[in-house]
Amino acid sequence: MREVTDPLLKLVRRPHQEPVVAQTARSTIAAVISYVVALQLSSEPAPLTAPLTALLVTQVTLFTTLRTGVRRVNAVVAGVLLSSGFSALVGLTWWSLGVVILAALIVGRFVKAGEFVPETAISAMLVLGVTQSQVASMAWDRVLETLIGAIVGLAFNVLFVPPVWVQPAGDAVLDLAGRMRNLLAGLGDDVRGHTPVSRAADRLHQARRLDHDIVEVDVELRRAEDSLRLNPRVREGLLSRVVMRTGLDTLEICAVVLRTTCRTVTDLAKKRTTEPLFRDDIAEGMHELFVEMARAVEAFAELITTPVSSNAEEAEAQLVRSLEASRTRRDTVAFQLLDTVRAHPRQWQLHGALLAEADRILDELDVEKRSERLWEELDRQSREKREKNRLLRGLRQLRRRERSRQKEREEERELEWEEEQGGER
């Protein structure tokens, strides 16, 4: 596992300070620069489209900056061209406005403007609203200002590369793992003695809220993944994205199983409203099992987010110890529950469900399984990249063959022309 963990973890986490402040300053400076440039090149007295585009384009990552810039330029150019052609036929009326808006929104989808589809209609309306003599000037200024804002925003992010947003994603993963750890520790307390149904139901509600927490972590992780794409600070962005994504996938599966565990404990509490859930010795074993599982979840999160090799080794060792202790406790509890079921076969299916759910969580956190998942995902990503490159190579080959055939046809026409000229002479 260490051969996989160490090089990957070196890439996953990098120092990152004050990302919000840095992004605010970057967007402000890019907007001001684009406005100054637009004042020199545009005929508009206040070319505010340029700084507006720069604000929208100067995103938190270089990848999203490039993507946003292309989409916005596509939207504006499509809207301007559509409205320019339409204004030559009719003026501004209620029905022409409706037709232009409808057509612009449809065209915006075709040019893949993304979230800037409404910008296509806005640009079309602005051009449609001017007089016929001003259409060309208005259209050109609109496109020019958009290009200035997009180019300045992109150039700003190329010259001053945005930070890698891995630290906030790592903090979000640790926070999620902390809530899962607390929930497991709480379950360990609940199984000792009598557990009211209300307390068990509260644990179930906490487990259900983990779904919302995972969505928030996924947002942070997607931003971190985008920050690794096309970023010269990161040499192996693919490895970093795979480490973070597979780690979150594992925690998500564990959260689902944990919710099922809380459901099982709640059902058991409903069946035993006036007595303890388990016998004292079994309850103590279940308590230790949940505590060790909580430590395993925490160690797993530390393993996938820690930036230093020594800390990674310590987290991996802690994870291995917690998993071994959990499996030992699980086996002990299984034998104790088996004896209890033989003597008092009440709710045996719920006992078996608890053991099966514990097995599933321990299996997901297993070190060897994580290594296999990492390599499988890396292999899949590599295959997809090769397929894309193969497609590009195929397109290039087709283009070369088409050029070769075109050249042959031109040579044949030249020979035919020379033969015709020779015959006439």
Side-chain angles (χ1 to χ4, degrees), residues 220-229 241 244-245:
E220 292 288 342
L221 184 53
R222 288 182 184 277
R223 183 171 64 174
E225 290 173 337
D226 286 343
S227 72
L228 297 174
R229 292 187 176 98
R241 296 198 304 270
M244 292 186 295
R245 177 56 61 186

Side-chain angles (χ1 to χ4, degrees), residues 161-179:
V161 181
V164 178
W165 290 72
V166 177
Q167 182 69 39
D171 293 340
V173 170
L174 290 174
D175 187 54
L176 171 65
R179 285 191 285 273

Side-chain angles (χ1 to χ4, degrees), residues 122-174:
I122 293 173
S123 300
M125 286 190 296
L126 291 177
V127 174
L128 185 63
V130 301
T131 61
Q132 185 64 35
S133 60
Q134 297 175 326
V135 168
S137 176
M138 176 68 178
W140 167 247
D141 288 336
R142 179 78 174 171
V143 173
L144 177 62
E145 293 171 22
T146 302
L147 289 173
I148 291 173
I151 293 173
V152 169
L154 180 59
F156 201 83
N157 273 2
V158 170
L159 296 176
F160 304 97
V161 181
V164 178
W165 290 72
V166 177
Q167 182 69 39
D171 293 340
V173 170
L174 290 174

Side-chain angles (χ1 to χ4, degrees), residues 44-58:
E44 289 287 331
L48 296 178
T49 302
L52 173 61
T53 303
L55 283 174
L56 296 173
V57 168
T58 310

Side-chain angles (χ1 to χ4, degrees), residues 320-376:
V320 172
R321 288 194 298 268
S322 298
L323 290 175
E324 291 178 351
S326 298
R327 291 189 175 100
T328 301
R329 298 300 180 188
R330 185 266 177 207
D331 293 340
T332 301
V333 170
F335 283 112
Q336 292 173 334
L337 286 175
L338 181 60
D339 294 336
T340 302
V341 168
R342 287 171 177 171
H344 304 285
R346 296 174 53 204
Q347 292 87 43
W348 60 268
Q349 71 279 7
L350 296 178
H351 296 168
L354 284 175
L355 296 177
E357 290 149 9
D359 288 339
R360 180 65 185 277
I361 292 178
L362 297 176
D363 181 64
E364 291 296 329
L365 298 176
D366 187 72
V367 176
E368 294 183 0
K369 182 170 183 178
R370 169 161 173 75
S371 300
E372 294 176 1
R373 184 174 296 171
L374 280 173
W375 287 119
E376 288 174 359

